[in-house]
Amino acid sequence: MLGEFGRIERFLRPLAVGCPGALNLTDDAAVLSVPPEHELVVTTDAMVAGVHFFPDDRPDDIAAKLLRVNLSDLAAMGAAPFAYTLMLSLPRTLDEHWLAGFCAGLEADQARYGISLAGGDSVSTRGPITVAITALGVVPCGRALTRQVSGPADRVAGQRVFVTGTIGDAALALALALGDLSPEPPLSAAAVAALTTRLRRPEPRLTLGVALRGLATAAIDISDGLTADLGHIAEVTGCTAFIEWARLPLSETVRTLVDRHPALLASVVSGGDDYELVFTAPPEARAVLAALAVEQGVAITEIGWLEFGSPGRVDILDQNGQPLTLTRRGWNHFTDAEPPTSGAV
Amino acid sequence: MLGEFGRIERFLRPLAVGCPGALNLTDDAAVLSVPPEHELVVTTDAMVAGVHFFPDDRPDDIAAKLLRVNLSDLAAMGAAPFAYTLMLSLPRTLDEHWLAGFCAGLEADQARYGISLAGGDSVSTRGPITVAITALGVVPCGRALTRQVSGPADRVAGQRVFVTGTIGDAALALALALGDLSPEPPLSAAAVAALTTRLRRPEPRLTLGVALRGLATAAIDISDGLTADLGHIAEVTGCTAFIEWARLPLSETVRTLVDRHPALLASVVSGGDDYELVFTAPPEARAVLAALAVEQGVAITEIGWLEFGSPGRVDILDQNGQPLTLTRRGWNHFTDAEPPTSGAV
């Protein structure tokens, strides 16, 4: 069995080759040059076995998800990937195949998203596998997207709400995996696989986030659920968000399931792990957003609007414009039953 | 009991007040402006209950140590503290007094070292308390200290080895705490308290690290033990380091114990957690280093030199210039018994 330095040499050092400032992982810290006229964007997300993923999930899937949930936070700020550090707290009994698989997952995604390992720490634990990444991104000075719509009141209140891709896939994949959802007739294997990929390999909307600089007036990624995350924009902006249920972009599988089991609507709008972007923009941005969606091959759907008052409230409206009642508003760590989801500090 | 957002509001948000780019911990990520003409220095260190600290250690001590071991890595690079992110993986059963104490420890040290919280993640676990910090520092471009002495061969081989403060205190404090060391006559309560403070509240040599820019030719902090950490400098520089045992700076308590139990010498030179700096400099730097030691009130002691050959070897020489044989060369995670120490990737 390799010692700590042997593991670093074999599995982690190759991940740092693309980052000269990582100093080959031989020094106390990395030394990085942020491009001139850019700001640094920093986020940390952790995942724990049995809380954020199933202990027997493939290690490359766990690695990919860990990196992607961090990159999704960069996307929501309009930042481009720059570098990341890795924290591994691993049971002593874990074999090296696990670490090899985990690092293979990181390696593939480093190439996919153009980011490299800058440093980190590996420790042993008697508890469950716990992994964390601190991702660094860069954005031209003053151009980061935030959660707060700023500007004159009449402009803020006129904002429309948009979402990328489709929502609810990850939440229903989780419900299937947990056995909470057993549709009759059963879904096809292909449909289950597609949903599961959304849960295990979310797609951080990085290039779209960069393109939304100066176009979106506020943005957030959907990690805790559409209503919870849009609620953050609504809260800091002093608004209620109104969402028209009929406009929500759903995959064919999710639409079929919700049509059959309307109670699943709650999971679709409040389940986490979609990692799509929800953002606001003025109505006059519609044409540019439509062109952007075509250019990037990612759906951008207008789903509602903001109105002043009851800060943080999110109302889902039915076909008649009446608010629907939901049973939960996204997960909240420490108080709910443990869900496989993550929440930023 | 507060939920996740309540905990952030009450305990973590106050830690971010000094960091405007933290956006009050309400956004997906922090947005930070690295000063012009400076590079970013990044390090991550984690600690696990039962591995790096005793589960019943005071939470403010745990927090202080976590922040300080990260700051010590910045010090070893000659970087000034800039900001940090925090990863908390806490048992659901942990009460809020623990978190309050932990954050109080961070708050006191933030003021002491001039750094603020920029963001992070808090998750729950069924395992032991696991905490990590990613510390960001800044250093003028091209001025970071590294572990490698560079330059012409005759210059490298002429380098002298220096160490700050005293070494061995933390290792003997740990041996006392574990019951591995029971000196007769017993140490005074004051002596035990002084040793224990070195273990629990190491002093990152930040201002000294900054002053060593352009003066030290290589530097590292002692986290895994003098021989292991100096061995890293020796290895990347292609040298053997020779250390004269009689020149090692020891506190009065450590000197008394070693005089009585010579076997403790191994713990002094190979035990971790001192967080002093060990660095190389040419002989002509002696006078400047002596003045610096007086100015900063920190001992700087010349303890040996580098010679080409057997890269990574560290020989401790007795009064007659003969190498001493030691039983271990510092801790190495994943293969040794679990020690309360930390090793950077």
Side-chain angles (χ1 to χ4, degrees):
Chain A
M1 191 163 138
L2 295 168
E4 180 186 6
F5 294 109
R7 287 180 174 220
I8 292 171
E9 172 83 28
R10 178 140 147 215
F11 299 117
L12 295 165
R13 193 158 294 157
L15 299 176
V17 168
C19 180
L23 305 174
N24 216 14
L25 301 185
T26 60
D27 225 297
D28 294 284
V31 183
L32 306 174
S33 295
V34 175
E37 313 297 324
H38 281 67
E39 288 171 303
L40 184 74
V41 177
V42 185
T43 184
T44 295
D45 275 295
M47 304 198 326
V48 180
V51 181
H52 303 86
F53 56 88
F54 296 103
D56 61 352
D57 277 353
R58 289 169 51 115
D60 57 339
D61 281 339
I62 297 167
K65 182 148 185 182
L66 178 65
L67 184 56
R68 291 174 184 210
V69 301
N70 275 280
L71 294 177
S72 182
D73 280 325
L74 297 186
M77 304 296 286
F82 183 55
Y84 72 99
T85 68
L86 176 65
M87 191 288 298
L88 297 173
S89 180
L90 305 180
R92 191 172 293 277
T93 51
L94 201 68
D95 70 20
E96 273 153 21
H97 289 102
W98 191 94
L99 185 59
F102 186 86
C103 290
L106 288 177
E107 189 174 25
D109 268 7
Q110 286 192 179
R112 183 180 176 100
Y113 299 111
I115 193 169
S116 291
L117 181 68
D121 196 16
S122 60
V123 295
S124 63
T125 181
R126 293 197 174 84
I129 295 169
T130 304
V131 291
I133 277 179
T134 296
L136 306 177
V138 289
V139 64
C141 290
R143 303 264 286 163
L145 301 171
T146 69
R147 296 181 178 180
Q148 181 162 15
V149 185
S150 51
D154 58 338
R155 179 172 153 84
V156 171
Q159 296 295 309
R160 310 296 300 185
V161 176
F162 299 83
V163 69
T164 64
T166 60
I167 64 162
D169 304 81
L172 297 196
L174 179 61
L176 285 172
L178 291 172
D180 292 344
L181 174 62
S182 308
E184 279 301 333
L187 296 178
S188 70
V192 172
L195 285 187
T196 303
T197 297
R198 288 294 309 274
L199 179 63
R200 293 200 178 149
R201 301 256 174 171
E203 186 59 54
R205 299 300 186 188
L206 284 161
T207 54
L208 202 59
V210 167
L212 288 176
R213 293 175 192 158
L215 195 55
T217 47
I220 190 170
D221 70 323
I222 304 179
S223 54
D224 294 339
L226 173 65
T227 47
D229 290 314
L230 178 56
H232 295 311
I233 289 180
E235 181 157 11
V236 294
T237 305
C239 289
T240 294
F242 293 92
I243 300 302
E244 294 177 290
W245 155 246
R247 304 181 79 153
L248 287 178
L250 305 182
S251 66
E252 204 177 301
T253 303
V254 169
R255 186 166 298 283
T256 304
L257 287 170
V258 171
D259 284 348
R260 253 194 263 157
H261 309 281
L264 291 177
L265 167 58
S267 299
V268 168
V269 298
S270 73
D273 277 336
D274 285 321
Y275 297 99
E276 296 293 350
L277 298 181
V278 57
F279 62 94
T280 58
E284 57 269 28
R286 283 176 183 141
V288 181
L289 290 171
L292 185 62
V294 172
E295 179 191 310
Q296 300 221 355
V298 179
I300 297 178
T301 309
E302 184 176 333
I303 58 172
W305 65 92
L306 297 185
E307 285 182 23
F308 274 115
S310 302
R313 185 181 169 104
V314 178
D315 276 352
I316 312 285
L317 307 177
D318 68 13
Q319 310 267 24
N320 304 314
Q322 296 304 306
L324 292 161
T325 304
L326 296 175
T327 50
R328 57 171 214 232
R329 285 191 71 234
W331 298 103
N332 180 352
H333 293 163
F334 292 114
T335 53
D336 294 322
E338 290 178 344
T341 185
S342 174
V345 160
Chain B
M1 193 162 134
L2 295 167
E4 180 187 5
F5 294 109
R7 287 180 174 221
I8 292 170
E9 172 83 29
R10 177 138 149 217
F11 298 118
L12 295 165
R13 194 158 293 157
L15 299 175
V17 168
C19 180
L23 304 174
N24 217 12
L25 302 184
T26 59
D27 224 298
D28 294 284
V31 183
L32 306 174
S33 295
V34 175
E37 313 298 324
H38 280 67
E39 288 171 305
L40 186 73
V41 176
V42 185
T43 185
T44 296
D45 275 295
M47 304 198 327
V48 180
V51 181
H52 303 87
F53 56 89
F54 296 101
D56 60 352
D57 277 353
R58 288 170 51 116
D60 56 339
D61 281 339
I62 298 166
K65 182 149 185 181
L66 178 66
L67 184 56
R68 291 174 185 209
V69 301
N70 275 280
L71 294 178
S72 182
D73 281 325
L74 297 186
M77 305 296 286
F82 183 54
Y84 72 98
T85 67
L86 177 66
M87 192 288 297
L88 296 173
S89 180
L90 305 180
R92 192 171 292 276
T93 50
L94 201 67
D95 71 20
E96 274 154 19
H97 289 102
W98 191 94
L99 185 59
F102 186 86
C103 290
L106 288 177
E107 188 174 27
D109 268 8
Q110 286 193 179
R112 184 180 176 101
Y113 299 111
I115 194 169
S116 290
L117 182 67
D121 195 16
S122 60
V123 296
S124 63
T125 182
R126 293 196 174 84
I129 295 170
T130 304
V131 289
I133 275 178
T134 296
L136 306 177
V138 291
V139 64
C141 290
R143 304 264 286 161
L145 301 171
T146 69
R147 295 180 179 182
Q148 181 161 17
V149 186
S150 51
D154 59 337
R155 180 173 151 83
V156 171
Q159 295 295 309
R160 309 298 300 186
V161 176
F162 299 84
V163 69
T164 63
T166 61
I167 64 161
D169 304 82
L172 297 195
L174 179 61
L176 285 172
L178 291 171
D180 293 343
L181 175 61
S182 307
E184 279 301 331
L187 295 178
S188 70
V192 172
L195 285 187
T196 303
T197 297
R198 288 294 308 274
L199 179 64
R200 294 202 177 146
R201 301 258 173 169
E203 186 60 54
R205 298 299 186 189
L206 284 161
T207 53
L208 202 57
V210 166
L212 288 175
R213 293 176 193 158
L215 194 55
T217 48
I220 191 171
D221 69 323
I222 305 179
S223 54
D224 294 338
L226 173 66
T227 48
D229 290 314
L230 178 55
H232 294 312
I233 288 180
E235 181 158 11
V236 294
T237 305
C239 289
T240 295
F242 293 92
I243 299 302
E244 294 178 288
W245 155 246
R247 304 180 78 154
L248 288 178
L250 305 182
S251 66
E252 203 178 301
T253 302
V254 169
R255 186 166 299 282
T256 304
L257 288 170
V258 171
D259 285 347
R260 255 193 261 158
H261 311 281
L264 290 177
L265 167 58
S267 299
V268 168
V269 298
S270 72
D273 276 336
D274 284 322
Y275 297 100
E276 296 293 348
L277 298 181
V278 56
F279 63 95
T280 59
E284 58 269 27
R286 283 175 183 141
V288 181
L289 290 171
L292 185 60
V294 172
E295 180 192 309
Q296 299 221 355
V298 178
I300 298 179
T301 309
E302 184 176 334
I303 59 172
W305 65 91
L306 297 185
E307 284 182 22
F308 275 116
S310 301
R313 186 179 168 103
V314 178
D315 275 354
I316 312 284
L317 306 177
D318 68 13
Q319 310 267 21
N320 304 313
Q322 296 303 306
L324 293 161
T325 305
L326 295 176
T327 49
R328 57 170 215 233
R329 287 190 70 232
W331 298 105
N332 181 351
H333 293 164
F334 292 115
T335 54
D336 296 320
E338 291 178 345
T341 185
S342 174
V345 161

